[in-house]
Amino acid sequence: HRQEPQSFNPEQQAPLGQAIAQIAGIYVLARNSKGLVIVDMHAAHERVTYEKLKAKTDLGMDQTQLLVPVVFRVSPEEMSIFEDYRGKFAELGLEVSAAGENALALRALPAILAHGKFDAAGLVTSLLADFAAYGESKITEELRNHCLATMACHGSVRAHRQLTIEEMNALLREMEKTQRADQCNHGRPTWMQIT
């Protein structure tokens, strides 16, 4: 016999419902007036973060300075790409500088990304790969959006992170406010309704 954690009134229900559990460290289960909602938490948070980053770059990105810069090694090839594209980081709300031979330092990043744990080296080297793949073109809208998608992926809730019910519900409410929240940046569905 299981007690209900809270009263459930379908008439007053938000579209994606109320979180009830997390499964396999990947999915959030919620119940709504139609039945069960299954949410891919990383894909959903990635879309929410991407849309926020996109809106912020259009308005001017708020930056958070890191108290201690994150210094990491890069390959000589990555260092060369950095020298060619160092100015592009600022356009994405990142402050990255050289920190010795084959080393970079991340000193600031968009405020949206500063709240969670993230892999600074992975984020910067992924962006270097994006810049290299696009060649000498300026930051076109397509490249900018691709870079923002890379940043959103790195700044999103990772799989296998345990969320509280409050965190799960906060994600559901953010999804309800976000355009195109039904698909992640790669086109995969972020949630499914089971009636």
Side-chain angles (χ1 to χ4, degrees), residues 119-136:
D119 172 10
L123 171 60
V124 172
T125 55
S126 293
L127 288 171
L128 289 171
D130 290 346
F131 297 150
Y134 275 80
E136 291 298 318

Side-chain angles (χ1 to χ4, degrees), residues 149-192:
T150 297
M151 291 165 66
C153 184
H154 280 270
S156 296
V157 170
R158 309 312 288 177
H160 306 296
R161 185 179 145 216
Q162 292 302 307
L163 302 181
T164 65
I165 291 287
E166 290 76 17
E167 288 172 320
M168 291 184 233
N169 279 322
L171 175 59
L172 297 176
R173 302 296 77 82
E174 287 285 348
M175 290 171 67
E176 290 163 351
K177 294 188 297 192
T178 301
Q179 289 185 336
R180 297 178 291 280
D182 58 334
Q183 284 191 342
C184 79
N185 305 329
H186 313 292
R188 296 188 313 270
T190 56
W191 64 277
M192 177 194 317

Side-chain angles (χ1 to χ4, degrees), residues 8-149:
F8 179 68
N9 185 343
E11 281 69 44
Q12 296 176 340
Q13 198 62 22
L16 293 177
Q18 296 299 316
I20 53 176
Q22 185 177 356
I23 291 189
I26 298 172
Y27 302 105
V28 170
L29 296 185
R31 60 181 177 175
N32 64 6
S33 58
K34 296 177 187 171
L36 187 66
V37 177
I38 302 175
V39 177
D40 178 330
M41 67 183 199
H42 174 71
H45 196 237
E46 192 175 344
R47 170 55 76 180
V48 167
T49 303
Y50 172 76
E51 293 296 339
K52 284 182 179 178
L53 282 168
K54 198 169 172 198
K56 289 287 186 185
T57 53
D58 292 339
L59 298 170
M61 190 78 75
D62 294 331
Q63 266 192 344
T64 295
Q65 294 289 320
L66 299 178
L67 291 174
V68 178
V70 180
V71 179
F72 49 92
R73 308 284 304 163
V74 293
S75 70
E77 294 77 21
E78 288 168 331
M79 196 67 185
S80 176
I81 296 165
F82 171 74
E83 294 299 339
D84 291 342
Y85 293 95
R86 64 188 323 154
K88 306 265 190 224
F89 286 98
E91 296 176 47
L92 296 168
L94 294 158
E95 185 182 329
V96 181
S97 61
E101 188 179 351
N102 296 328
L104 296 175
L106 177 63
R107 300 180 184 283
L109 70 165
I112 294 166
L113 300 181
H115 303 299
K117 290 183 179 179
F118 64 95
D119 172 10
L123 171 60
V124 172
T125 55
S126 293
L127 288 171
L128 289 171
D130 290 346
F131 297 150
Y134 275 80
E136 291 298 318
S137 65
K138 296 187 174 174
I139 278 212
T140 60
E141 188 169 353
E142 183 184 357
L143 172 56
R144 183 197 72 157
N145 290 345
H146 187 80
C147 291
L148 292 177

